[in-house]
Amino acid sequence: MPGSGIRRLFEIALTLEGVTFLAVGEPDLPVAPHIAAAAKAAWDAGDTNYTANGGIPPLRRAFAQRFAQDRGVALDPERVWATIGGTQALHQALGLMLDPGDEVLVPDPGYTTFSMSPRMLSAVPVAYSLREEAGFLPELDRLERLVTPRTRAIIVNSPSNPLGTVLDEHHARGLLDFARRHDLWVLSDEVYAELAWDAPHVSLTALDTRESGGERVVGVFSLSKTYAMTGVRVGFLVAPRAWAAPLRSAQEAMISCVNAPAQHAAIAALTGDQSAVADARVHYRENLRAATALLDERGIGYLEPSGAFYLWIDVRHVSGGDVAAWAEDFLRRQRVAVAPGSAFGPSGEGWIRVCVAASRSDLLHGLSLLPAP
């Protein structure tokens, strides 16, 4: 399994002094006080024992209620499983979908674990290109050509990391129809669902729940980005009801359960004051505006994001066909860490991903050092 190109740059950056970090998707805002207080109260009360494999019932209900409020679709709490971040949710789901040698369609460019997890399961990730000419969105005619007798699932990510693209309802329904025609699972990564800028997030999990009871789409969610809880490690898997028995055993074998204080913090995040989320959205959006204005001024191309907190920036004019090597050289010379697009798949060659969830000064400083055409 190849290593992560993002992690490699990050680890090099940690050995250098005076680095501006724009490579990792880490919110620069603090966790809201009421969330931290809930975790502290659990520790103080000695609430540190094992819980049910899928999470304590109040947490599963809290996620279902938040989902219903945000998406307008009722969700049975028994379909909700608390996981150690979205990463474990993704791996857990793939472990139940794939046998060795099975194929899963993964976006290219797409987040690194979409390809890493199948390889760890001895399955085969098959990339579907998200092309600039198609607005970096999935193309059904090209997907059709990739399906083989071994294809079992497709991973869909909206809002996209690293691209910032967002599926509208037309594209979402097209992908659901494609999956139904070929009897595929859909693994829908909706980690950035609360960070859609131009239109409300279209949830494949909600569409499938509304129309067929939630039997084909398996949803991956996380509190990491929305609530600045990346290190707390609480995510959710929304699975078909029929998965309950195998998931209970799989959770027991893999993690037993998410730690109890983190689950109480998650309840506070989902049910408490949401003003910190609203403030974060304003902060990220204003950072995006400032960043794109600077790139426009300098004549550097980029993809206008519709969601998430990243900028996908075109550096083909200087990267020389090896953007990973260019990004490492840029880090060592300018002390600015950016993620090379090739870390997200071959289609990312010549592009970089910049996280705008940083201080405004750091963001603009780093972008000001990018070579202009």
Side-chain angles (χ1 to χ4, degrees), residues 28 282-283 286-288 290-291 356 358-365:
D28 66 315
V282 171
H283 172 58
E286 289 180 347
N287 272 8
L288 277 169
V356 304
S359 72
R360 187 81 47 81
S361 59
D362 280 355
L363 177 62
L364 298 182
H365 168 72

Side-chain angles (χ1 to χ4, degrees), residues 231-260:
V232 180
R233 311 307 303 139
V234 179
F236 298 93
L237 189 63
V238 177
R241 293 171 185 83
W243 281 32
L247 257 178
R248 189 168 291 108
S249 297
Q251 287 279 92
E252 176 70 20
M254 183 176 279
I255 66 163
S256 183
C257 60
V258 176
N259 79 80

Side-chain angles (χ1 to χ4, degrees), residues 17-305:
E17 293 187 2
V19 172
T20 299
F21 287 89
L22 302 177
V24 179
E26 181 75 67
D28 66 315
L29 302 173
V31 68
H34 68 281
I35 299 174
K40 182 179 184 301
W43 278 103
D44 290 345
D47 194 350
T48 57
N49 298 324
Y50 287 124
T51 75
N53 298 140
I56 57 178
L59 176 57
R60 300 174 81 180
R61 289 195 299 269
F63 180 87
Q65 290 163 1
R66 172 61 55 189
F67 187 91
Q69 181 176 330
D70 293 343
R71 309 290 161 234
V73 177
L75 184 64
D76 182 354
E78 292 301 309
R79 292 182 57 202
V80 177
W81 296 77
T83 59
I84 300 181
T87 302
Q88 189 241 324
L90 177 87
H91 192 78
Q92 192 79 285
L94 289 171
L96 295 182
M97 291 176 180
L98 304 174
D99 283 329
D102 283 348
E103 297 173 355
V104 54
L105 303 178
V106 301
D108 169 22
Y111 190 56
T112 53
T113 54
F114 296 161
S115 294
M116 294 168 74
S117 280
R119 289 192 177 104
M120 289 183 69
L121 296 164
S122 298
V124 182
V126 176
Y128 63 89
S129 294
L130 303 175
R131 302 187 306 145
E132 183 180 8
E133 307 91 292
F136 292 100
L137 292 170
E139 299 170 84
L140 292 179
D141 58 337
R142 289 176 169 263
L143 283 171
E144 294 282 352
R145 302 173 206 165
L146 299 175
V147 177
T148 76
R150 298 296 297 179
T151 309
R152 298 288 179 266
I154 179 172
I155 297 177
V156 179
N157 178 207
S158 176
S160 164
N161 173 14
L163 298 168
T165 51
V166 173
L167 293 177
D168 60 20
E169 188 162 343
H170 171 74
H171 280 91
R173 289 190 178 280
L175 287 168
L176 272 180
D177 290 342
F178 164 79
R180 288 170 183 143
R181 282 197 306 276
H182 295 285
D183 194 22
L184 305 180
W185 292 109
V186 178
L187 188 51
S188 181
D189 181 332
E190 304 181 28
V191 165
Y192 293 88
E194 304 309 316
L195 300 175
W197 308 123
D198 302 323
H201 167 64
V202 177
S203 168
L204 280 166
T205 308
L207 281 179
D208 189 48
T209 299
R210 182 184 295 118
E211 296 172 2
S212 62
E215 299 305 319
R216 185 173 303 280
V217 176
V218 179
V220 171
F221 299 83
S222 173
L223 304 188
S224 292
K225 314 298 184 177
T226 306
Y227 296 97
M229 294 170 63
T230 53
V232 180
R233 311 307 303 139
V234 179
F236 298 93
L237 189 63
V238 177
R241 293 171 185 83
W243 281 32
L247 257 178
R248 189 168 291 108
S249 297
Q251 287 279 92
E252 176 70 20
M254 183 176 279
I255 66 163
S256 183
C257 60
V258 176
N259 79 80
Q263 293 190 54
H264 286 285
I267 293 171
L270 291 165
T271 62
D273 183 6
Q274 301 294 302
S275 60
V277 177
D279 292 343
R281 287 171 56 86
V282 171
H283 172 58
Y284 302 148
R285 195 69 193 271
E286 289 180 347
N287 272 8
L288 277 169
R289 290 194 184 103
T292 54
L294 178 59
L295 293 174
D296 288 339
E297 180 183 319
R298 305 193 62 229
I300 298 174
Y302 60 90
L303 174 65
E304 184 72 41

